[in-house]
Amino acid sequence: MRAAEQLMVAQPALSKSIRNLEEELQLTLFDRSDKSISLTPEGRIFLKHARSILEKVDNAKREMDELRGLERGKIHLGMPSMFGSIYFPQIIKEFKKLYPKLHISVVEEGTYQIRKMIENKEVDLGFIMMEQAGPDLDITPLFKEEMVACFPVNHPLSDKPAISLKELVNEPLILFKEGYLQRKLLIEVSRQYLGENQTHPANAEPNITLTSNQLSLIQSCVAEGIGITLFLRDIAQNSPRIKAVPLNPPIFLQLGIASNKTAYLSKAGQTFLSFLKQSVKEKPAK
């Protein structure tokens, strides 16, 4: 009865359609031996194929809609917080001038998590590091950025010409959540150093004083002297109350835009990807 209501058809008509299908297949799809109806093993197999067919029909309808002049469409993007704050506002401003009716949905995560989301087809496109590319992804290089250590302006280490990651391990750290390269770099070097240092127990953890995914909050906390962090150079330079110190050896991130080779990329997604590639050609990576 509930299935008939959801499909907005009469119950007798639905029952007849099911019987006709079972007769055509010469298989029983539903177990009617109990009070509650359930799928037979054959029915579960048929359901899997039916869902696949319906998904392909939906994809076909969506592509036909989008081919009608990009009058509608949605782009799901995975983006690291730091990248979004530097590049994305200008990119989206120029893109929306050309395609005002396309909707862009952004999920902010670290590049490691974004790669998983691309693999799982949870986003259409994602910004990840080039070294994270694999045979399952199509990836185009975009921007090259330098990571720097960030201190409040009056910090004793803020006047150094350069600093190693190892010199940061005894400082209170302000980090993004799991999945961000910034966090991975500092935690790995901290654990390695603390494990080697005999004055610390082998299982010592780095001094993480605050974790947040809010870029502005991390900037403010560093400026107030609550802890130190790693940022891309452009972010640090745009924060007047933060002092950026280059890393020794330097660390550069090469970001790219990636998609899943096995996933359908919508017309809207293809258009955004082409626009992004053209933008990079006009403004070469650093």
Side-chain angles (χ1 to χ4, degrees), residues 220-233:
S220 298
C221 289
V222 172
E224 293 296 334
I226 295 171
I228 63 101
T229 194
L230 296 180
F231 276 152
L232 297 178
R233 179 177 285 280

Side-chain angles (χ1 to χ4, degrees), residues 155-220:
H155 193 282
L157 299 176
S158 65
D159 290 327
K160 296 193 69 169
I163 193 167
S164 68
L165 287 177
K166 190 174 289 188
E167 292 177 84
L168 306 178
V169 299
N170 290 318
E171 298 292 323
L173 303 176
I174 302 177
L175 305 178
F176 287 109
K177 68 178 185 178
E178 295 288 344
Y180 282 78
L181 176 69
Q182 169 236 49
R183 182 184 184 95
K184 185 174 184 286
L185 285 172
L186 284 171
I187 288 181
E188 284 183 355
V189 75
S190 295
R191 287 175 177 169
Q192 180 183 9
Y193 175 77
L194 295 176
E196 293 173 352
N197 189 335
Q198 294 181 359
T199 64
H200 292 274
N203 62 350
E205 290 292 313
N207 180 17
I208 302 174
T209 190
L210 189 145
T211 298
S212 174
N213 243 27
Q214 298 298 314
L215 180 63
S216 59
L217 175 60
I218 295 178
Q219 288 173 310
S220 298

Side-chain angles (χ1 to χ4, degrees), residues 128-178:
I128 64 173
M129 292 177 294
M130 290 300 296
E131 60 263 34
Q132 293 176 301
D136 55 334
L137 299 183
D138 279 320
I139 186 164
T140 301
L142 295 176
F143 309 102
K144 187 177 182 181
E145 284 290 342
E146 182 184 6
M147 293 286 283
V148 294
C150 297
F151 303 93
V153 291
N154 59 349
H155 193 282
L157 299 176
S158 65
D159 290 327
K160 296 193 69 169
I163 193 167
S164 68
L165 287 177
K166 190 174 289 188
E167 292 177 84
L168 306 178
V169 299
N170 290 318
E171 298 292 323
L173 303 176
I174 302 177
L175 305 178
F176 287 109
K177 68 178 185 178
E178 295 288 344

